[in-house]
Amino acid sequence: MHVDQLDAAQVAQALAEAESDYQALLAQGLSLDLTRGKPSAEQTNLSNDLDGILKGHYAAQDGTDVRNYGGLDGLPEAKALFAQALQVPADEMLIAGNASLTLMYQVIDFALRFGFRKAWNKGASTPKFLCPVPGYDRHFAICEYLGIEMVTLPMLDDGPDMDVAEALVQELDNVCGIWCVPRFSNPTGCVYSEATLARLAELPKLAQNDFIVMYDNAYAVHALTDDAPALGNIRDYAVAAGTENHIVQFGSTSKITFAGAGVAFLSTSKANLAVLKHHLGFQTIGPDKVNQLRHVAFFQNHEGLMAHMTRHASIMKPRFNAVLTTLDAKLGGTGMGTWISPEGGYFVSFETRPGLAKTVIRLASDAGIKLTPAGATFPYGNDPQDSNIRIAPSFPSIADVQATMDAFVLCVRLATLRSLASSGTFGS
Ligand SMILES: Cc1ncc(COP(=O)(O)O)c(C=O)c1O
């Protein structure tokens, strides 16, 4: 029954049951962790053949000895392979080390201090970034660390609220960019629509500064099912809009092969690539091309990579099912929270009733269950509604995901009923 229809006596009875279930949960002395979106060992095992795959053959297709220095923008065969995942031409790719987050940091730091064309910190006011919320905490951490002011805007089912984005870019001084995770967004799992991509590609034209769309396509190939929604092609929209210098796209194999030893890449216009290469040349003589060649040998081509992702999906799907079937069975129709069923990516985003996320997370923590801290999905750790909780089911075993979710729904039930009982407003 929906909680808003419970009268005072029913709330009191449901609360007494929840309190008693919670005491039983505390007595179990659980120790579970559903915090970070790491691949499980079962997933990383899928790529163990990377080890030793070169069997002493260290020559790239053009004869380059990959063990040596050089090749700042990466191996051409690695560009060709990963370009297909980002739907861009191979000559607009740069292949780097293991973390796309490093590339994002480098791009922002570069744009801030030097600028692709005009440094962001040369304006009269503090550089600002648009942050669709809820979003990825590490994006927000980069901005906070580098002194970029974050301005939030709502995330809708088909991407950022572009009406608000367009208004903010024109109303505020020195808005320099926007964070985007366009397919299976972290954490809501939404996929940006074609209309959103078209408007994103136009957005730089409205901005006063040298605006950049930070297009973090971290989950480009991470579908859970064959019929998961596809993502349109931002580059085509950018070329049509004449804004290809203002889109920088990122990806990596962190959640394809090894999270700590994968390959990261970015794509942007050739003009931007030239400027970036010059900048990177002061930081490195070249990336780990041995690892790049290992990845090419491992996947062979895009079809090989996609077949590998099907194997990931078969590991991830039961974990997502455990989360979603528990939410549906225990909280469906109760009005105690809302969530969407993502068709890919790494997260399920749960919304409690306003003001309860911190309480739910504290109740879970007291019962030995670690959840991502409340507010983590918002700039400065501040969720004004105190309602968003990010659930990351990839790493634990299916049994642990199930045990965690059983405990989670109980914590949501308890927090909601306690708040209803203390507010004293009931249905009839
Ligand atoms: C949206 C998003 N971008 C980037 C990353 C990290 O990528 P990388 O391992 O390539 O630095 C993550 C990891 O959770 C992520 O969720």
Side-chain angles (χ1 to χ4, degrees):
M1 197 196 235
H2 196 285
V3 278
D4 290 339
Q5 289 164 353
L6 299 179
D7 61 26
Q10 287 168 317
V11 168
Q13 191 196 336
L15 178 57
E17 278 166 25
E19 294 286 4
S20 139
D21 291 349
Y22 186 66
Q23 287 309 314
L25 177 70
L26 290 179
Q28 286 182 40
L30 297 175
S31 175
L32 298 165
D33 187 337
L34 220 65
T35 51
R36 291 236 71 101
K38 294 200 289 192
S40 63
E42 208 183 330
Q43 287 177 275
T44 47
N45 281 343
L46 293 175
S47 304
N48 286 349
D49 285 351
L50 275 170
D51 195 14
I53 199 168
L54 297 181
K55 297 191 172 64
H57 298 291
Y58 292 106
Q61 271 164 20
D62 64 1
T64 300
D65 181 344
V66 293
R67 294 168 301 183
N68 223 319
Y69 276 141
L72 196 57
D73 52 355
L75 292 180
E77 51 267 56
K79 292 183 187 180
L81 172 64
F82 297 123
Q84 288 194 57
L86 300 188
Q87 309 182 63
V88 298
D91 61 2
E92 293 180 10
M93 293 287 287
L94 179 143
I95 318 287
N98 76 309
S100 61
L101 207 62
T102 308
L103 288 172
M104 292 177 228
Y105 182 94
Q106 285 167 324
V107 164
I108 299 252
D109 185 42
F110 172 66
L112 188 65
R113 293 190 297 128
F114 300 98
F116 285 94
R117 287 149 292 269
K118 177 176 180 278
W120 294 339
N121 65 5
K122 294 287 186 286
S125 63
T126 311
K128 297 176 189 62
F129 238 72
L130 301 185
C131 301
V133 290
Y136 180 38
D137 52 351
R138 291 184 191 270
H139 288 163
F140 304 152
I142 292 176
C143 283
E144 191 168 359
Y145 184 60
L146 293 175
I148 294 171
E149 188 182 322
M150 290 176 273
V151 182
T152 60
L153 66 147
M155 181 70 100
L156 307 179
D157 289 348
D158 63 347
D161 186 329
M162 292 307 297
D163 289 342
V164 177
E166 288 162 3
L168 287 171
V169 157
Q170 293 171 89
E171 275 162 25
L172 299 176
D173 265 357
N174 209 8
V175 180
C176 300
I178 182 168
W179 284 111
C180 297
V181 182
R183 193 169 191 224
F184 312 129
S185 198
N186 177 350
T188 72
C190 77
V191 179
Y192 291 16
S193 64
E194 297 284 342
T196 300
L197 296 190
R199 290 173 77 178
L200 263 181
E202 292 282 341
L203 200 55
K205 290 196 209 163
L206 301 177
Q208 301 150 17
N209 209 336
D210 195 10
F211 190 92
I212 288 192
V213 177
M214 293 290 286
Y215 197 83
D216 178 3
N217 210 343
Y219 302 107
V221 291
H222 301 60
L224 288 170
T225 56
D226 289 342
D227 53 4
L231 178 68
N233 188 328
I234 187 75
R235 182 195 179 265
D236 287 350
Y237 285 110
V239 170
T243 55
E244 60 270 40
N245 285 337
H246 300 272
I247 316 279
V248 187
Q249 186 170 182
F250 302 87
S252 79
T253 69
S254 289
K255 288 167 181 171
I256 299 177
T257 57
F258 295 153
V263 172
F265 34 89
L266 70 70
S267 173
T268 186
S269 68
K270 291 197 192 69
N272 279 2
L273 279 179
V275 184
L276 259 186
K277 260 177 81 171
H278 174 76
H279 176 69
L280 291 179
F282 293 99
Q283 304 172 45
T284 177
I285 308 174
D288 179 352
K289 298 184 297 304
V290 175
N291 200 28
Q292 294 182 10
L293 193 60
R294 293 195 310 155
H295 276 73
V296 173
F298 183 64
F299 291 123
Q300 300 284 323
N301 50 38
H302 183 65
E303 288 66 40
L305 190 151
M306 292 313 291
H308 186 79
M309 293 317 292
T310 305
R311 294 188 274 278
H312 275 287
S314 65
I315 297 171
M316 292 287 271
K317 194 122 207 321
R319 288 170 169 79
F320 273 83
N321 282 346
V323 173
L324 295 167
T325 53
T326 311
L327 291 175
D328 283 340
K330 305 272 181 60
L331 298 180
T334 65
M336 294 193 188
T338 56
W339 59 94
I340 51 172
S341 303
E343 295 185 63
Y346 265 62
F347 306 101
V348 175
S349 181
F350 183 87
E351 296 286 330
T352 65
R353 289 162 80 97
L356 295 183
K358 282 199 185 94
T359 309
V360 169
I361 287 166
R362 186 180 39 75
L363 288 170
S365 161
D366 291 348
I369 290 149
K370 278 200 202 127
L371 295 169
T372 310
T377 52
F378 283 73
Y380 311 107
N382 176 28
D383 172 0
Q385 290 282 319
D386 184 25
S387 64
N388 185 253
I389 299 178
R390 188 182 82 165
I391 298 171
S394 59
F395 191 70
S397 66
I398 298 172
D400 281 356
V401 173
Q402 187 59 60
T404 310
M405 288 312 296
D406 289 339
F408 175 77
V409 293
L410 170 55
C411 295
V412 172
R413 190 154 57 94
L414 183 57
T416 311
L417 291 165
R418 276 185 184 170
S419 104
L420 279 176
S422 67
S423 73
T425 45
F426 307 106
S428 54

